[in-house]
Amino acid sequence: MRLRNALLPVLALGALALAGCGGTSSAGTTPAPQAVSAADLAKVTLKVGDQKGGSQALLEAAGLLNTPYKIEWSTFTSGPPLLEAASAGAVDLGGVGNTPPIFSAAANAKIAVVQAAQHTGPGDALLVPEDSPIRDAKELKGKTIAVAKGSSAHGQLLDVLIRAGLKVNDVTITFLQPADAYTAFTQHRVDAWAIWDPYTSQALLEAKARSLVDGSSGTANGYSFQVAGRSALGDAGKNTAIQDYLSRLAKAQKWSDSHKDEWAQAWSKVTGLKPEVARTSVGHGATLPIPLEDKVIASEQQLADAFSDAKVLPGKVKFADFVDTRYEDKTGGSR
């Protein structure tokens, strides 16, 4: 997404060394080890999970991929499989929406949320075909809805159903990854599709979809997270690299908001999206860093409780046990 553009310099390694030993962790997470020297950091390979057109493209477009350590990228179709890999140590960290960490927590995965961001636009949407008779969420009863299991769109779908006075078993939910769901939607094999951008913009522009409801109606908190595997958090070299990476990512997110045209152009090139789709998606809003604070954790707890109450999850989840705030500075933002 973004063309190379100079930003303010990223944290000096000396600042990392000072900050790396003073972080705090919530219950159930790994104590922060001491930061490593520049020489040792140069030997680190940080394994980052990503989705197509995600953090790698953003950092490259913003000119922030000149890291003092090596990054090994792996691409995933959505958040849940990325977090499975993080828990297993196959990747060290990666970015996901608001719901995958809840499902991972329910499975007692070895992960921790380490950075938060929030989308400024409508976010996830529940789409129906242009000619669909469905005009209100209450009319979803008895209908088939496609969604990626455990994704942010899954969380929004649950909230939409609850607000409409419907239960999960009042509809038929078909779990499909975005590419398969797009095909099913365009072939009218499902009645509705819960999804996130840029797929939302693509469906609206290319498949003549209609948005039944989106995050602007208050059905989603708009949060996304960087989530790390606990094994990586316990490694001194990777802990230092993660802090630097998160600082770069936060700067890149701010850059994308102030360089929308460059970001849309770069995003289109990386993803293969039509330029007008990329511009529309970028125009819907930006994902910007926010403090990983109590109100964020409380909002996620409410979502987790909703999944538990709906029997989508087998039991209760204490979201705070899967949060690690070691990378937050005194103002609440990521360093």
Side-chain angles (χ1 to χ4, degrees):
M1 315 25 172
R2 315 68 181 149
L3 296 176
R4 298 186 182 278
N5 229 297
L7 284 177
L8 294 175
V10 179
L11 281 177
L13 291 178
L16 284 174
L18 290 173
C21 58
T24 59
S25 301
S26 297
T29 57
T30 307
Q34 294 285 338
V36 300
S37 67
D40 287 336
L41 183 58
K43 302 174 185 177
V44 172
T45 296
L46 189 64
K47 298 180 292 185
V48 181
D50 199 12
Q51 298 180 50
K52 189 173 183 180
S55 299
Q56 182 180 9
L58 177 58
L59 289 166
E60 183 175 9
L64 289 167
L65 266 184
N66 56 330
T67 58
Y69 45 86
K70 179 182 177 182
I71 298 181
E72 180 181 290
W73 298 94
S74 297
T75 304
F76 295 83
T77 57
S78 61
L82 190 160
L83 293 191
E84 288 179 15
S87 180
V91 299
D92 298 320
L93 83 160
V96 300
N98 64 354
T99 303
I102 293 172
F103 276 70
S104 292
N108 200 28
K110 298 176 181 179
I111 55 96
V113 171
V114 294
Q115 187 183 53
Q118 189 172 30
H119 193 68
T120 60
D124 298 335
L126 186 60
L127 306 178
V128 295
E130 185 180 39
D131 59 357
S132 172
I134 300 172
R135 296 290 171 178
D136 187 274
K138 295 178 181 180
E139 298 170 9
L140 290 169
K141 187 172 184 178
K143 304 301 183 182
T144 300
I145 305 170
V147 68
K149 185 175 183 179
S151 66
S152 59
H154 192 183
Q156 191 214 25
L157 173 59
L158 177 63
D159 194 58
V160 168
L161 294 176
I162 291 172
R163 289 169 182 254
L166 299 176
K167 298 179 179 179
V168 172
N169 57 11
D170 286 329
V171 299
T172 299
I173 297 179
T174 300
F175 293 122
L176 296 172
Q177 290 298 317
D180 294 332
Y182 184 84
T183 299
F185 182 80
T186 56
Q187 294 179 352
H188 288 75
R189 291 191 278 113
V190 296
D191 299 299
W193 182 22
I195 191 58
W196 57 90
D197 251 336
Y199 302 103
T200 300
S201 297
Q202 184 179 25
L204 291 172
L205 291 173
E206 297 179 2
K208 305 302 181 183
R210 174 165 49 85
S211 179
L212 185 67
V213 62
D214 60 36
S216 63
S217 60
T219 58
N221 57 28
Y223 295 143
S224 59
F225 301 103
Q226 291 296 310
V227 183
R230 289 191 182 160
S231 60
L233 292 173
D235 180 276
K238 292 191 175 184
N239 173 64
T240 306
I242 289 171
Q243 176 150 340
D244 177 78
Y245 175 87
L246 295 178
S247 176
R248 292 169 184 270
L249 184 61
K251 287 176 169 58
Q253 288 169 336
K254 294 174 183 178
W255 175 88
S256 70
D257 188 38
S258 60
H259 297 76
K260 292 183 183 296
D261 289 342
E262 293 99 319
W263 176 223
Q265 182 180 350
W267 199 15
S268 173
K269 183 177 179 180
V270 171
T271 60
L273 290 169
K274 292 181 179 179
E276 58 268 29
V277 172
R279 285 194 297 270
T280 299
S281 182
V282 169
H284 283 163
T287 298
L288 298 174
I290 60 170
L292 183 53
E293 57 189 3
D294 288 347
K295 71 175 184 179
V296 174
I297 296 171
S299 179
E300 287 295 291
Q301 186 62 55
Q302 290 180 339
L303 181 57
D305 290 344
F307 272 109
S308 296
D309 294 343
K311 309 300 181 185
V312 176
L313 295 177
K316 290 290 185 179
V317 169
K318 187 177 179 182
F319 190 79
D321 284 351
F322 295 85
V323 174
D324 190 317
T325 59
R326 71 178 68 179
Y327 303 114
E328 295 290 299
D329 63 20
K330 292 181 180 180
T331 63
S334 291
R335 294 185 180 99

